[in-house]
């Protein structure tokens, strides 16, 4: 099976590209050149919140570099188109995609795709979402499970691409193994590693015609960008000192397992 990838340019995105490259699955790659991974804190924050903001994104950068060491570029040679945010949905990108030969298109870490580009990707087009849908759709969805004291709900969803954000039928979901000492960013990185491993197995082992698609049902939430504010970090770092996983593993927090949909097992697990 040959895959057209549309990804961002951060190490987490390139890790996934390289994992699939090693399996010989990648036919072509559109890479959106993303913004700096370490943002500047907003103005007028209290010192406490500014310090938390700096710590949070510094720790995220260090975790990404630790977990995805060696993945600052694509390893291997396939047709590649680098685009800016402004060029992602351009006619040039659409024409380039149409010129490629692939069985399935997979997006991860790019901005919203317009309908014309979605049409060019064809019927077999998936997205990798950093969050368990439908409960964590939208933005910052690997943070909110920690804020809700459910670190075992920090996972990834592979679903059909659709015009509605993170709303397509589900192909597969994965969650990483939680271990003592895992901070918020460690879990997020391990979630990416797990979905990359799972996706490689799915693409290598399951014919497209045998893929089961599960509609998203039940009550969920679309988390928008403005839901998150730096003051939320007080809860993670002051109340729990980023050791929510340890509290969970020590059974100091309630354990409610998410109903995971897996393409690699019969039925849900």
């Amino acid at each position: 099976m040959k895959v057209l990838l549309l990804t961002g340019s951060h190490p987490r995105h390139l890790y996934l590209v390289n994992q699939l490259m090693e399996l010989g699955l990648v036919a072509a790659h559109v890479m959106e050149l993303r913004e700096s991974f370490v943002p500047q804190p907003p103005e007028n924050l209290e010192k406490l919140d500014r310090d938390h903001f700096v710590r949070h994104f510094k720790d995220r950068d260090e975790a990404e570099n630790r977990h995805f060491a060696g993945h600052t570029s694509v390893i291997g040679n396939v047709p590649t188109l680098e685009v800016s945010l402004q060029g992602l949905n351009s006619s040039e990108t659409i024409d380039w995609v149409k010129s490629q030969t692939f069985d399935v298109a997979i997006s991860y870490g790019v901005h919203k795709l317009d309908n014309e580009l979605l049409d060019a990707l064809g019927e077999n087009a998936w997205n990798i979402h950093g969050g368990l849908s439908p409960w964590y759709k939208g933005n910052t969805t690997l943070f909110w499970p920690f804020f809700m004291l459910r670190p075992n709900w920090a996972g990834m969803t592979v679903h059909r691409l659709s015009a509605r954000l993170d709303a397509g039928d589900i192909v597969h979901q994965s969650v990483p193994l939680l271990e003592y000492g895992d901070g918020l960013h460690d879990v997020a990185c391990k979630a990416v590693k797990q979905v990359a491993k799972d996706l490689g197995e799915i693409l290598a082992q399951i014919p497209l015609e045998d893929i089961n698609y599960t509609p998203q049902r039940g009550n969920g939430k679309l988390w928008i960008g403005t839901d998150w504010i730096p003051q939320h970090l007080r809860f993670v770092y002051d109340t729990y000192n980023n050791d929510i996983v340890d509290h969970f593993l020590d059974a100091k927090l309630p354990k409610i397992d998410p109903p995971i949909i897996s393409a690699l097992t019969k039925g849900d697990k």
Side-chain angles (χ1 to χ4, degrees):
M1 191 182 303
K2 292 299 181 181
V3 182
L4 167 71
L5 289 175
L6 303 93
T7 77
S9 57
H10 292 152
R12 63 174 62 187
H13 308 135
L14 300 184
Y15 174 87
L16 179 117
V17 175
N18 288 331
Q19 293 301 109
L20 298 185
M21 287 278 286
E22 288 183 4
L23 296 173
L25 296 169
V26 182
H29 181 207
V30 177
M31 181 167 66
E32 180 188 341
L33 302 176
R34 293 293 305 267
E35 70 284 350
S36 170
F37 203 59
V38 184
Q40 294 299 309
E43 296 181 1
N44 303 319
L45 284 179
E46 293 183 44
K47 183 180 183 304
L48 172 68
D49 298 315
R50 182 183 182 86
D51 289 346
H52 285 332
F53 187 98
V54 170
R55 172 188 176 180
H56 182 72
F57 288 103
K58 177 176 177 290
D59 287 355
R60 184 179 73 165
D61 188 52
E62 290 177 351
E64 295 271 327
N65 288 324
R66 184 172 69 255
H67 285 276
F68 306 127
H71 295 280
T72 55
S73 61
V74 174
I75 301 168
N77 223 356
V78 295
T80 302
L81 178 68
E82 294 186 358
V83 299
S84 63
L85 169 58
Q86 293 72 26
L88 176 62
N89 291 290
S90 67
S91 58
E92 289 80 8
T93 300
I94 293 168
D95 289 343
W96 190 87
V97 165
K98 288 179 177 179
S99 73
Q100 304 303 313
T101 301
F102 54 93
D103 302 304
V104 60
I106 301 176
S107 67
Y108 175 47
V110 296
H111 284 87
K112 193 173 188 297
L113 305 180
D114 289 350
N115 287 337
E116 191 173 354
L117 180 52
L118 287 175
D119 290 341
L121 297 179
E123 180 181 355
N124 297 312
W126 304 345
N127 178 59
I128 301 171
H129 168 60
L132 291 183
S133 293
W135 309 281
Y136 295 98
K137 295 187 291 186
N139 291 282
T140 329
T141 42
L142 288 171
F143 171 84
W144 292 116
F146 280 81
F147 192 76
M148 305 301 290
L149 297 180
R150 290 184 173 182
N152 58 321
W153 288 63
M156 311 285 282
T157 301
V158 181
H159 63 86
R160 261 185 165 151
L161 269 168
S162 66
R164 292 176 57 212
L165 188 63
D166 303 330
D169 293 349
I170 294 171
V171 177
H172 178 77
Q173 293 174 313
S174 59
V175 291
L177 175 68
L178 300 180
E179 299 173 291
Y180 283 101
D182 283 346
L184 184 156
H185 300 304
D186 294 304
V187 175
C189 291
K190 289 168 69 173
V192 173
K193 287 183 171 182
Q194 186 64 54
V195 79
K197 177 180 180 295
D198 290 354
L199 196 55
E201 294 180 16
I202 292 167
L203 294 170
Q205 298 175 13
I206 306 176
L208 274 176
E209 59 269 22
D210 292 340
I211 294 290
N212 292 318
Y213 294 94
T214 303
Q216 296 195 39
R217 299 187 179 93
N219 294 324
K221 176 171 173 55
L222 177 63
W223 301 83
I224 61 176
T226 51
D227 283 335
W228 187 89
I229 58 175
Q231 287 80 358
H232 284 126
L233 297 175
R234 297 185 185 191
F235 182 71
V236 173
Y237 294 115
D238 286 344
T239 303
Y240 281 98
N241 194 30
N242 200 18
D243 59 2
I244 291 172
V245 168
D246 287 2
H247 279 73
F248 176 80
L249 294 175
D250 285 337
K252 295 177 180 177
L253 299 172
K255 186 178 188 295
I256 302 172
D257 291 325
I260 298 298
I261 295 167
S262 175
L264 297 170
T265 60
K266 292 183 179 180
D268 298 356
K269 66 177 183 179

